[in-house]
Every structure is written in structure tokens, then in C-alpha cells.
Amino acid sequence: GAVVSQHPSWVICKSGTSVKIECRSLDFQATTMFWYRQFPKQSLMLMATSNEGSKATYEQGVEKDKFLINHASLTLSTLTVTSAHPEDSSFYICSARDLRDSRQNTEAFFGQGTRLTVV
Amino acid sequence: GESVGLHLPTLSVQEGDNSIINCAYSNSASDYFIWYKQESGKGPQFIIDIRSNMDKRQGQRVTVLLNKTVKHLSLQIAATQPGDSAVYFCAENNRGSDKLIFGTGTRLQVFP
């Protein structure tokens, strides 16, 4: 399957600072990238959907000014957690899909995830 | 956000036995379904998918069954191995949306 690389795999930051997480599709063009958040022993919760060259669409309850998403190219999306607080500590996962063929859906490929700890 | 799951259910099986993991989906308009495997501290890994025009699809040691009447999806793993131990999620997609929505998840534990 296709490869999605997410970086960093873990990060520890001080409360009040910002953290950027990168998501790259290495061998395909990702028209659409998604960012999920996962708490321990829970499912993946979709935070936002981003299409290359346009603004991200955020799910209800997700603060767009706190979780900044940029999808500048077909192979790169970034999530910046601004003014991080301990409650933002979580496992963040990106996924990528190539949806250029609108006739059918295709699988989503996931990054390795980023463990964020805010102290 | 959508699809919040609480307190993952657990399925315990003995090595060599067959495993069946179930998933109920909510949107009758969903037409594409995927099973993912997630190991601790890693991102989800694709296992198998199925479209709504099918009832069954087989892969290597895995079979997915889709019952659209009751909106139920199952994943069957044959001859379960210790390496199959992980959390398994079903995900659904509506043709009119590009979002994948995840189910609650089931933890599979394989004992020797």
C-alpha cells in the first residue's frame, strides 16, 4: 500500500508553546488529507478535512484557530497546535486519500501518529 | 467530532482459532467500508475493504461480510495468530462525503 509519513512520532512541549506536525504522502498524490485525534482506549475522532490549496473543513467542536491546518501541496499537510495546554495532550494521526476519481471511494492511508505531551 | 468510542470491547481467542469481530454502522447511505488494524502507538493499517454492492470479500486469512439490511459488518480472521493481537476498527464512507468515520473498535487478544 501507499506510504504516509508523519513527523515527529512524539513531541513534548511546554504549555503555551506551539507544535507543528507534518504529514507527507510519499508515493502518491493526496487530494485530501484528514487529521484525527485519539485518546487512550478510544476510537479515532475526526478533527478536520483538508483539500490541497483550500481551507480545511473542521468538525463540530474543533477550534480552527487552535488547530491550524495547511495543505499547500498534494503531498504535504501540516497541523499546528497553537498555545498548547495539557488537555491537548493526545495521539494525533493523519491520513491521506487520492479522490481524483469521483466514481468510487478509495482507501485511506495513515501516518504513524504523533504522541503529543504538553507539560 | 464524529465517532467517539468509549471503553473498547475485548475479544479473547486462542491461537489457531477463528476470530469474528463485529461492527454496526449508522449511516444507511454509506457505500464503502474498510477494516483497519491498529497496534499500540501506531497508526491504523489497512486490512480489507468492501463496497456496498457486495456481501462478502475475501483476502489472505481475512473475510469481510456486509449485511446492509441490518447495517452490520464483520471481520473474520482464520487461524488467528499472536501477531493479530491489536485493536480493530471498521470505518464507513458515504459516496457524497470524503470522510471516513470510525467505529468504536474491538481489542483482539490472542492467547497461546
Side-chain angles (χ1 to χ4, degrees):
Chain A
V3 178
V4 174
S5 177
Q6 188 173 337
H7 178 80
S9 57
W10 62 269
V11 57
I12 301 173
C13 71
K14 290 185 177 181
S15 185
T17 62
S18 295
V19 174
K20 179 185 284 189
I21 303 170
E22 289 188 350
C23 181
R24 294 181 184 272
S25 58
L26 298 185
D27 51 3
F28 73 105
Q29 293 183 324
T31 58
T32 308
M33 287 188 171
F34 306 86
W35 288 95
Y36 292 84
R37 182 174 183 176
Q38 186 178 32
F39 292 105
K41 299 184 179 180
Q42 293 193 21
S43 186
L44 282 73
M45 183 178 71
L46 181 64
M47 299 173 66
T49 302
S50 73
N51 292 296
E52 184 262 340
S54 61
K55 290 184 178 180
T57 302
Y58 289 82
E59 295 299 305
Q60 189 174 7
V62 179
E63 298 177 60
K64 63 180 181 180
D65 293 331
K66 180 166 188 61
F67 299 100
L68 300 178
I69 293 172
N70 183 277
H71 192 166
S73 75
L74 284 172
T75 59
L76 173 64
S77 176
T78 60
L79 167 67
T80 301
V81 183
T82 63
S83 187
H85 291 283
E87 57 266 30
D88 297 324
S89 299
S90 189
F91 192 55
Y92 292 87
I93 311 171
C94 72
S95 75
R97 301 178 81 181
D98 181 357
L99 295 174
R100 283 174 293 180
D101 185 352
S102 60
R103 291 170 296 177
Q104 63 178 18
N105 286 314
T106 57
E107 67 189 273
F109 299 97
F110 284 80
Q112 309 95 312
T114 298
R115 173 74 58 194
L116 171 63
T117 303
V118 185
V119 298
Chain B
E2 300 182 56
S3 183
V4 176
L6 299 175
H7 308 298
L8 295 172
T10 299
L11 174 66
S12 298
V13 299
Q14 192 163 19
E15 182 179 358
D17 287 350
N18 296 332
S19 302
I20 299 177
I21 300 172
N22 297 303
C23 177
Y25 63 94
S26 57
N27 190 345
S28 57
S30 293
D31 62 353
Y32 179 59
F33 305 87
I34 309 175
W35 278 100
Y36 285 95
K37 172 186 180 183
Q38 186 181 30
E39 298 176 324
S40 181
K42 297 183 179 180
Q45 178 184 4
F46 173 88
I47 301 174
I48 191 168
D49 59 359
I50 188 168
R51 302 192 188 282
S52 59
N53 60 353
M54 302 174 68
D55 297 321
K56 178 179 179 179
R57 189 161 188 232
Q58 289 184 293
Q60 187 177 11
R61 279 202 310 121
V62 295
T63 301
V64 54
L65 299 177
L66 174 63
N67 186 329
K68 295 180 288 293
T69 302
V70 295
K71 293 188 286 188
H72 183 268
L73 198 66
S74 69
L75 176 69
Q76 301 178 0
I77 305 174
T80 312
Q81 302 169 359
D84 295 327
S85 294
V87 177
Y88 290 80
F89 294 98
C90 67
E92 61 182 295
N93 192 180
N94 183 332
R95 181 181 292 276
S97 169
D98 50 12
K99 298 188 290 187
L100 270 180
I101 303 302
F102 279 74
T104 305
T106 297
R107 179 176 301 281
L108 176 64
Q109 293 181 330
V110 183
F111 293 95

